[in-house]
Amino acid sequence: MSIAEQIMKWKQEKNAVILAHYYVDEEVQEIADYVGDSFYLSKVATNVDAERIIFCGVEFMGESAKILNPTKRVFMPDAMADCPMAHMATKEEILKVKEQYDDVAVVCYINSTAELKTYADVCVTSSNAVKIVRNLPNHNIFFIPDRNLGHYVSEQVPEKNFIFNAGCCPRHVAITEEKVLAAKAKYPNAKFAAHPECTQDVLAHADYIGSTAGIIDYVVASADQEFLIGTVDGVFAEIKKQAPDKILHTIKEQQVCVNMKKVTLEKVLDVLEHETNEVFVDQDVAQKAMQPLTRMLALAK
Ligand code: 13P
Ligand code: SF4
């Protein structure tokens, strides 16, 4: 039996459902029941019937799935697959900003630890941040942890005052303006689609800015044929599936998320079979972190 066949067998036996982010390897996306961006996967996680969720992604995703669906057992194929940006804000900084501004809303990108979410008024993902922030009653917005997504949102919602945090995604900031200009010179007919975790100077050259799902939809629906992709190359798999004729280029070599890459078919099979790497969140933390997550789901509708 192939690994994929064994996964299917164990999945049924264990009454499990497999969720995968677009950044994991194509062969992992292929065995998943649901593949999507962070927002889609967090919605799926609240609605699954299965007893067990295998989350092919990074820690904050498994944690959010567990918080949103506490009666389910959630497992991560690789317990060390973590998003470095999720840790790039501090409780001290949040409390300091809260003291300085009385009507401040702490807007927390879902790429954050459960602990950080406990200090948030609302969570957002890259696909709903603009809509949610625009509709918040607060004038002052402290956006954590990603300064780049924060800057992008602030440009779309100029009527609000933003306080930024220093965090960033090491993978997206490695897509530099210099590399974008070189790629544009090499492929002059290509349209450039970028994730808002890229820096402002890079986004200034983009024909489209959006979440992973947004980028996929843009490329698939576009009348153009050739694209430069300013995000992790895991999105290529879904684009190729929906629009096999499109020509796709990365901006740089190795445009991967090393943590998402830790998820392999062998590890998916292993957690299904042996029930290792189960996600547990402290009850008090989970209760507090659930509020901004459920508020996000309500406000994004
Ligand atoms: P999405 O919101 O597009 O899924 O992005 C998640 C992510 O980790 C980007 O680096
Ligand atoms: Fe985190 Fe960046 Fe990987 Fe997304 S691409 S999971 S933000 S390290």
Side-chain angles (χ1 to χ4, degrees):
M1 238 196 281
S2 69
I3 297 192
E5 286 164 343
Q6 292 178 62
I7 289 173
M8 294 308 145
K9 178 182 95 75
W10 280 107
K11 211 176 67 167
Q12 277 189 335
E13 216 152 287
K14 295 284 176 96
N15 187 14
V17 69
I18 301 178
L19 274 56
H21 190 270
Y22 285 130
Y23 287 168
V24 298
D25 280 347
E26 185 168 3
E27 58 181 17
V28 177
Q29 293 187 36
E30 273 166 13
I31 53 91
D33 298 291
Y34 300 93
V35 186
D37 69 357
S38 305
F39 181 45
Y40 171 77
L41 294 175
S42 63
K43 283 188 293 187
V44 170
T46 57
N47 290 322
V48 292
D49 288 333
E51 274 169 60
R52 295 170 176 80
I53 298 173
I54 312 298
F55 212 122
C56 301
V58 288
E59 190 175 351
F60 75 82
M61 296 179 174
E63 234 175 33
S64 299
K66 179 70 186 173
I67 292 166
L68 285 165
N69 215 342
T71 59
K72 306 289 174 193
R73 295 182 67 191
V74 180
F75 299 87
M76 304 294 293
D78 188 312
M80 303 304 284
D82 193 7
C83 168
M85 184 168 65
H87 304 267
M88 293 185 192
T90 65
K91 167 188 159 187
E92 288 73 26
E93 185 65 19
I94 298 168
L95 296 179
K96 203 169 103 194
V97 172
K98 277 188 168 194
E99 243 175 54
Q100 281 169 341
Y101 301 85
D102 34 331
D103 87 322
V104 73
V106 178
V107 176
C108 185
Y109 192 19
I110 199 165
N111 297 34
S112 52
T113 61
E115 181 76 28
L116 280 178
K117 289 183 178 80
T118 65
Y119 298 99
D121 293 289
V122 66
C123 285
V124 295
T125 75
S126 61
S127 65
N128 59 36
V130 170
K131 179 178 178 181
I132 290 179
V133 170
R134 187 175 283 141
N135 291 320
L136 286 176
N138 316 63
H139 178 63
N140 293 310
I141 306 293
F142 183 33
F143 198 99
I144 59 166
D146 186 10
R147 65 168 181 260
N148 294 312
L149 179 61
H151 275 288
Y152 171 70
V153 176
S154 75
E155 278 170 7
Q156 310 304 307
V157 192
E159 66 274 21
K160 303 223 179 217
N161 176 49
F162 282 74
I163 303 114
F164 301 108
N165 177 70
C168 65
C169 163
R171 302 296 141 199
H172 284 84
V173 298
I175 299 169
T176 60
E177 183 183 27
E178 195 189 347
K179 291 190 173 97
V180 169
L181 293 177
K184 277 184 168 256
K186 194 168 172 191
Y187 305 109
N189 297 323
K191 289 277 186 275
F192 175 38
H195 197 281
E197 285 177 18
C198 293
T199 52
Q200 282 171 290
D201 53 353
V202 163
L203 294 181
H205 299 284
D207 297 291
Y208 174 81
I209 300 168
S211 75
T212 48
I215 289 173
I216 291 165
D217 291 347
Y218 162 75
V219 172
V220 169
S222 168
D224 288 286
Q225 271 302 105
E226 193 175 5
F227 299 87
L228 294 166
I229 304 295
T231 195
V232 169
D233 69 4
V235 299
F236 284 26
E238 185 64 30
I239 298 173
K240 287 281 168 206
K241 208 158 93 184
Q242 293 190 42
D245 294 339
K246 302 279 173 172
I247 302 161
L248 309 173
H249 308 284
T250 55
I251 305 296
K252 59 185 272 294
E253 280 179 22
Q254 292 289 310
Q255 209 164 284
V256 299
C257 172
V258 279
N259 282 287
M260 294 278 190
K261 272 224 161 282
K262 290 177 183 166
V263 182
T264 62
L265 285 184
E266 288 78 6
K267 291 175 190 171
V268 174
L269 178 61
D270 192 65
V271 281
L272 269 168
E273 217 177 326
H274 302 113
E275 304 198 3
T276 45
N277 302 344
E278 184 162 0
V279 177
F280 295 103
V281 185
D282 173 89
Q283 224 181 336
D284 186 44
V285 170
Q287 255 170 14
K288 287 186 184 135
M290 192 177 191
Q291 290 168 23
L293 280 168
T294 48
R295 193 171 178 208
M296 170 187 81
L297 294 175
L299 293 179
K301 272 188 190 145

